[in-house]
């Protein structure tokens, strides 16, 4: 008994499907868009980094130099959370890309599935029958032998896409626990760091500052230039030879004082057309700010409209100004080693839901805080960018 239109119609449909789907018989775009990096691997590495940061936090409790240990711990948490957000962002974008491609090819994929289902339902003896007789059946069998591997390849590609979507969704669900632990851990590390700095009294001093004169200078200054010039006369500059040697040799190698991205460059106008002779760095809320190099604290506290300001003297004739922090650490005259914490940015960490939503959307402003950095040489501002390593 012959089934009219069975295998012949299936082969026609299969040919139409293969003409529209990527594969050995098509030069069309691939169903899977290649990713620049594996989002799952990125997120897994971030989770490992967060667990390592938790171990560092436990070890920091008994460390001899708790300030240094906790500083490294906070930075480790910040880097882990940054990597986790990037991994989730990539995963969300990858899922959206796969969904968009599948949706655009919904009709073709439905036809492919129909052909495969029809071939699977028909017994082999029936598939080999053809309305035109034995010759047609032989030709149909040869065509089917050529087409079937291509159909199987397309079905396998589709299965891989669906498996990847399932993996991404499982990854997003498991990341919530790592995120909650990471946010709690970094908050604990910041609190312990502030306490350790408050308890520390053994930092060396380079000069005895006059708090009243510094306060009066801050109130009477109309510009940062005027404050910097007056600062040279308050408390005395560091004695010659007392500043860390070789500061000039560090040009181009200094790390940024905060984990952030460049928002505006030297003398670059903002939206209001205001130009400032420094760099503006966009940071995440509560980001830790550290000194890029060993330096003496010349001033810390509020100044004009800059918020809390930290003025550091890395070498004689140089001043590094960091402005816009919510909290500042240390006191005038203290000598800080490179990488020592000097303050925290403002804002508040997002809760778990907000963090995940922002990552899933693949956009949004996750760096709403800004740190202003100015480097002054001989009393005049210079472009700080050449002093810092490319990041």
């Amino acid at each position: 008994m012959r089934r009219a239109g069975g295998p012949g119609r299936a082969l026609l449909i299969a040919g139409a499907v293969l003409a529209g789907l990527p594969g050995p018989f098509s030069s069309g775009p691939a169903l899977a868009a290649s990713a620049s990096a594996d989002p799952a691997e990125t997120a897994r590495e971030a989770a490992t980094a967060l667990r390592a940061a938790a171990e560092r936090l436990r070890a920091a409790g008994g460390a001899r130099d708790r300030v240094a240990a906790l500083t490294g711990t906070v930075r480790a948490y910040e880097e882990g959370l940054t990597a986790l957000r990037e991994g989730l962002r990539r995963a969300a974008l990858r899922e959206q890309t796969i969904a968009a491609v599948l949706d655009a090819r919904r009709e073709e994929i439905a036809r492919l599935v129909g052909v495969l289902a029809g071939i699977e339902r028909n017994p082999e003896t029936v598939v080999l029958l053809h309305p035109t007789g034995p010759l047609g059946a032989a030709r149909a069998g040869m065509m089917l032998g050529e087409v079937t591997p291509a159909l199987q390849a397309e079905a396998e590609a589709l299965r891989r896409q669906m498996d990847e979507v399932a993996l991404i969704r499982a990854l997003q669900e498991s990341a919530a626990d790592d995120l909650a632990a990471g946010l709690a851990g970094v908050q604990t590390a910041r609190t312990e760091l502030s306490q350790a700095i408050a308890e520390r009294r053994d930092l060396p001093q380079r000069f005895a500052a006059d708090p009243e004169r510094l306060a009066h200078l801050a109130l009477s200054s109309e510009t940062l230039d005027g404050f910097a010039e007056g600062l040279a006369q308050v408390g005395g500059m560091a004695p010659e030879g007392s500043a860390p040697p070789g500061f000039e040799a560090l040009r181009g190698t200094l790390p940024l004082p905060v984990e952030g991205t460049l928002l505006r460059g030297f003398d670059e106008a903002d939206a209001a057309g205001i130009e400032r002779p420094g760099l503006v760095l966009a940071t995440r809320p509560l980001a830790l700010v550290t000194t890029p190099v060993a330096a003496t604290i010349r001033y810390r506290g509020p100044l004009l409209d800059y918020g809390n300001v930290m003025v550091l003297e890395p070498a004689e004739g140089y001043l590094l100004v960091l402005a816009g922090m919510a909290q500042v650490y240390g006191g005038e005259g203290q000598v800080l080693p490179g990488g020592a914490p000097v303050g925290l940015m403002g804002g508040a960490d997002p809760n778990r839901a907000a963090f995940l939503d922002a990552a899933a959307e693949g956009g949004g402003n996750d760096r709403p805080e800004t740190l202003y950095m100015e480097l002054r040489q001989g009393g005049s501002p210079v472009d700080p960018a050449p002093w810092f390593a490319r990041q």
Side-chain angles (χ1 to χ4, degrees):
M1 179 179 180
R2 297 173 181 174
R3 181 173 298 183
R9 183 171 180 273
L11 289 171
L12 290 175
I13 295 177
V17 169
L18 289 173
L21 285 175
F25 302 104
S26 170
S27 59
L31 184 64
S34 61
S36 59
D38 183 4
E41 184 61 29
T42 301
R44 278 193 290 267
E45 291 175 356
T48 301
L50 288 176
R51 286 191 288 272
E55 292 295 329
R56 294 184 66 169
L57 180 58
R58 283 190 284 272
R64 182 175 180 180
D65 189 346
R66 292 189 68 237
V67 172
L70 288 166
T71 299
T73 299
V74 173
R75 276 293 171 85
Y77 270 117
E78 289 180 345
E79 292 169 1
L81 289 170
T82 298
L84 181 61
R85 186 183 191 280
E86 178 63 15
L88 292 175
R89 184 186 69 83
R90 289 181 181 178
L93 291 176
R94 179 66 179 147
E95 182 181 5
Q96 293 169 10
T97 300
I98 294 173
V101 172
L102 294 179
D103 186 66
R105 308 180 77 94
R106 183 187 300 274
E107 183 178 348
E108 295 170 353
I109 293 173
R111 289 157 59 192
L112 169 63
V113 173
V115 169
L116 294 174
I119 293 176
E120 183 178 6
R121 285 196 305 267
N122 289 327
E124 185 176 352
T125 54
V126 175
V127 171
L128 292 177
L129 297 179
H130 196 275
T132 62
L135 182 60
R139 290 174 177 172
M142 295 173 62
M143 293 178 63
L144 191 60
E146 292 291 333
V147 169
T148 300
L151 292 175
Q152 290 176 339
E154 297 304 330
E156 181 64 22
L158 180 61
R159 184 190 65 79
R160 287 195 298 268
Q161 296 293 319
M162 300 309 296
D163 288 346
E164 186 176 354
V165 171
L167 173 63
I168 288 173
R169 290 180 179 174
L171 178 69
Q172 292 169 333
E173 293 174 0
S174 64
D177 294 334
D178 293 324
L179 173 60
L183 290 175
V186 72
Q187 290 171 352
T188 301
R190 291 190 192 113
T191 301
E192 292 189 9
L193 176 62
S194 298
Q195 181 179 356
I197 292 174
E199 295 172 350
R200 188 170 185 173
R201 298 288 184 267
D202 59 349
L203 285 175
Q205 302 280 329
R206 280 227 173 92
F207 59 84
D210 186 338
E212 293 185 2
R213 292 184 66 186
L214 284 173
H216 179 267
L217 177 62
L219 291 173
S220 61
S221 298
E222 296 182 357
T223 64
L224 184 56
D225 283 331
F227 177 78
E229 292 174 4
L231 187 61
Q233 309 301 322
V234 177
M237 295 294 286
E240 186 174 354
S242 64
F247 178 66
E248 288 282 354
L250 298 176
R251 186 183 182 93
T253 65
L254 298 180
L256 289 175
V258 69
E259 185 182 335
T261 56
L262 182 64
L263 189 61
R264 282 191 295 277
F266 184 75
D267 276 344
E268 184 178 340
D270 59 15
I274 299 175
E275 298 178 357
R276 286 183 172 172
L279 306 181
V280 178
L281 302 174
T283 79
R284 290 188 172 84
L286 298 178
L288 179 66
V289 183
T290 59
T291 172
V293 64
T296 302
I297 299 178
R298 294 305 313 279
Y299 174 79
R300 53 149 284 188
L303 177 67
L304 303 173
D305 60 343
Y306 289 90
N308 277 323
V309 172
M310 177 72 70
V311 180
L312 302 170
E313 183 187 3
E316 186 177 2
Y318 287 91
L319 291 178
L320 179 64
V321 181
L322 302 173
M325 293 168 282
Q327 301 179 44
V328 285
Y329 301 136
E332 289 84 1
Q334 287 185 336
V335 181
L336 302 177
V342 296
L344 290 175
M345 299 303 296
D349 275 329
N351 58 34
R352 182 171 62 178
F355 189 101
L356 290 173
D357 288 345
E361 291 170 1
N365 181 18
D366 66 317
R367 301 176 186 265
E369 304 298 320
T370 54
L371 178 75
Y372 176 70
M373 177 172 62
E374 189 173 302
L375 181 65
R376 307 181 73 86
Q377 182 179 6
S380 301
V382 296
D383 187 0
W387 286 84
F388 293 86
R390 297 292 181 185
Q391 298 186 39

